[in-house]
């Protein structure tokens, strides 16, 4: 955790209360903080700032002199449409995308998504993973996450409304590379809008990627297939490699 995020209910005037066991353990064992020390904190959905530890017990930490004056960092102007991955990968991906600042995440079914993934208890814990990502990335605004269990209806009826300029679909067998794609749209760059050449939607498959039928449906909605090299990457690597473009 690079900051401690608390819900609005835990704040009262210039005071705040930490009562989540994971946060208390982190403050004690990782930070080694003591009464009088300053912590980086934030209010979920609000601002970031600092507070001073007034009192510590095994069950709660009282904070005083709370000052929340810093706005959270801006979101990346991108929606990630991600084929629901294996449960053990889901936590890491939600954390990473949240820490990177992705604005919207759509978890979607695909041919290579096993039906059992949709019954995973981890889907009920997405808020936990988002909180971990926010505390890692020092942010307070959670991404919007939606679940879409039907691929074709989503692509044909809803995807177009998410595309504000362009869209890409990661596909290792595409002839067009991401670098070539960005060069083609470099004319859109400007000093005031440095991200304007980047697409507003990125579609990323599960392990094994998209099948041809899915690529064709996505292409029908204006998604340009691009590769990020000839290596077939794990989903985590592909997500971070692609989203790195928005951080540059």
């Amino acid at each position: 955790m690079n900051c401690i995020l608390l819900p609005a209910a835990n704040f009262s005037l210039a005071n705040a209360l930490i009562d989540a066991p994971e946060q208390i353990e982190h403050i004690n064992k990782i930070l080694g903080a003591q009464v009088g020390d300053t912590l980086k904190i934030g209010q979920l959905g609000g601002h970031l700032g600092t507070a001073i530890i007034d009192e510590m017990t095994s069950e709660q930490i009282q904070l005083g002199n709370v000052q929340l004056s810093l706005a959270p960092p801006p979101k990346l102007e991108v929606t990630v449409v991600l084929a629901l991955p294996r449960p053990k990968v889901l936590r890491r991906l939600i954390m990473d995308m949240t820490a990177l600042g992705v604005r919207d995440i759509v978890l979607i079914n695909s041919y290579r998504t096993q039906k059992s993934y949709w019954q995973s208890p981890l889907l009920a814990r997405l808020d936990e993973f988002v909180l971990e990502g926010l505390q890692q990335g020092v942010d307070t605004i959670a991404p919007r996450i939606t679940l879409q269990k039907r691929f074709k209806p989503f692509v044909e009826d809803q995807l177009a409304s998410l595309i504000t300029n362009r869209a890409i679909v990661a596909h290792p067998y595409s002839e067009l590379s991401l670098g070539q794609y960005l060069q083609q749209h470099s004319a859109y760059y400007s000093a005031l809008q440095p991200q304007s050449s980047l697409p507003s939607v990125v579609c990323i498959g599960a392990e094994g990627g998209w099948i041809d039928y899915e690529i064709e449906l996505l292409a029908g909605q204006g998604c340009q297939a691009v590769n990020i090299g000839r290596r077939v990457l794990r989903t985590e690597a592909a997500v971070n490699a692609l989203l790195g473009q928005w951080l540059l």
Side-chain angles (χ1 to χ4, degrees), residues 1 40 55 65 121 123 174 177 198 234:
M1 301 178 190
K40 292 183 179 180
E55 182 181 338
N65 194 26
L123 285 174
S174 169
S177 72
L198 294 170
R234 290 184 179 274

Side-chain angles (χ1 to χ4, degrees), residues 6 10 12 14-19 24 27 34-37 39 51-57 59-66:
L6 304 172
N10 284 41
S12 176
N15 301 307
L17 174 69
I18 300 174
D19 54 7
I24 293 172
I27 292 169
Q34 300 177 354
V35 172
D37 288 346
L39 295 179
I52 295 175
I53 299 176
D54 282 346
E55 182 181 338
M56 302 179 71
T57 71
E59 296 181 349
Q60 63 182 30
I61 296 176
Q62 295 281 351
L63 303 177
N65 194 26
V66 174

